[in-house]
Amino acid sequence: MNRRALLAGNWKMHMNIAQAVELAQAVAKAGSGCTDRDVMLAPPFTALASVAQALQGSNVLLASQNVAWEAQGAFTGEIAPPMLTDIGVRMAIIGHSERRQIFLEDDAMINRRLRAALAFGLTPVLCIGETLRERESGATFRVLEQQLRGALQEVSADRAEQIVLAYEPVWAIGTGKTATTAQAQEAHAFLRGLLADMFNKKVAETIRILYGGSVKPDNIDELMAQADIDGALVGGAALKIESFERIIRFQ
């Protein structure tokens, strides 16, 4: 199946509103001629509304960096799905390794966030990946299966087709280390086979699986040439238009 590529920029805890608007406008301009692929930006929460306005009329998708599992209520510090859709957010990153490692979000919490996103019409970008210790001990596939099955509990095949999956080996995020293309492709192929086992072949062939972990202009072409890599979730290289534009325009 010919899946449409998705190039996503996760800005993490960077950018004030003026900087975010300027970069978003530059990304919209850079991606305006790319009709065969999707571009997504995930600014910090404070800049979402302003970036939504800056992206009006463009084809760039807007994402949040997380999402709560309830529509409203006494959840200090959380942002509800309807609050996001209200300002034009269409996607939500869920289960990023920084949420798992630093903020101790477990598979059960990530599952609740993901199901809430789906219920309110947000496309979840579900992040999974192993640590260096897990890879070196040969546990990569076991960890990926546990995270994927945990996050997709009680999700139907129809709903699963709407999800974007991001494989991010924790040891390659922000370290300058990148999984080799063979390592990345091997993990992506494993996940696609696992999706077929969990749901069916159609779901497995529909879901886009992104690679994340020190994606840069000089490795994007080789990564995107792999059969099961459908895009990239980009951190540091998404903060400058020069590097992110080259990633958007992979060949």
Side-chain angles (χ1 to χ4, degrees):
M1 179 175 286
N2 190 19
R3 292 174 295 274
R4 188 176 171 87
L6 172 61
L7 294 312
N10 175 15
W11 293 355
K12 306 189 181 185
M13 200 168 70
H14 297 283
M15 305 277 175
N16 62 28
I17 290 173
Q19 292 167 334
V21 166
E22 182 181 4
L23 182 53
Q25 289 171 334
V27 170
K29 183 178 179 183
S32 60
C34 301
T35 56
D36 63 339
R37 60 199 64 180
D38 292 327
V39 178
M40 183 200 96
L41 294 179
F45 283 112
T46 51
L48 276 172
S50 299
V51 170
Q53 290 186 315
L55 293 177
Q56 278 188 349
S58 80
N59 55 7
V60 178
L61 301 163
L62 186 61
S64 61
Q65 296 179 18
N66 206 351
V67 61
W69 57 84
E70 295 287 350
Q72 59 180 24
F75 299 95
T76 300
E78 290 289 316
I79 313 278
M83 295 173 175
L84 296 170
T85 56
D86 186 44
I87 58 171
V89 174
R90 295 173 59 186
M91 308 178 81
I93 297 173
I94 297 170
H96 192 280
S97 66
E98 289 155 5
R99 300 304 312 179
R100 295 176 188 265
Q101 304 285 320
I102 302 170
F103 301 100
L104 307 182
E105 294 192 9
D106 61 13
D107 291 329
M109 179 182 287
I110 288 161
N111 173 250
R112 292 171 75 188
R113 293 188 191 279
L114 182 139
R115 286 191 288 124
L118 287 169
F120 286 95
L122 289 166
T123 298
V125 181
L126 171 65
C127 301
I128 61 176
E130 80 283 8
T131 64
L132 184 60
R133 177 182 293 179
E134 288 163 345
R135 173 164 280 275
E136 289 180 341
S137 67
T140 295
F141 290 164
R142 179 178 59 77
V143 169
L144 295 182
E145 180 165 3
Q146 176 187 320
Q147 291 177 345
L148 190 63
R149 289 189 183 276
L152 298 184
Q153 286 256 340
E154 299 179 47
V155 175
S156 68
D158 287 347
R159 285 294 177 96
E161 285 187 13
Q162 300 165 36
I163 292 164
V164 173
L165 192 56
Y167 167 62
E168 294 199 305
V170 179
W171 47 272
I173 299 173
T175 62
K177 294 181 181 177
T178 312
T180 65
T181 49
Q183 287 173 322
Q185 167 57 25
E186 180 186 42
H188 282 235
F190 168 77
L191 290 169
R192 208 171 296 287
L194 185 55
L195 288 166
D197 181 61
M198 290 169 60
F199 299 104
N200 55 56
K201 189 176 179 185
K202 180 171 179 281
V203 169
E205 291 182 346
T206 299
I207 288 181
R208 293 184 285 188
I209 309 179
L210 316 182
Y211 172 75
S214 297
V215 176
K216 296 183 174 65
D218 59 7
N219 62 24
I220 185 65
D221 293 346
E222 191 177 358
L223 286 165
M224 291 303 297
Q226 305 306 305
D228 289 292
I229 298 180
D230 305 314
L233 183 56
V234 187
L239 298 174
K240 293 193 170 106
I241 187 57
E242 296 79 14
S243 50
F244 194 54
E245 180 172 6
R246 174 63 183 85
I247 288 167
I248 292 170
R249 295 182 174 276
F250 76 88
Q251 298 172 0

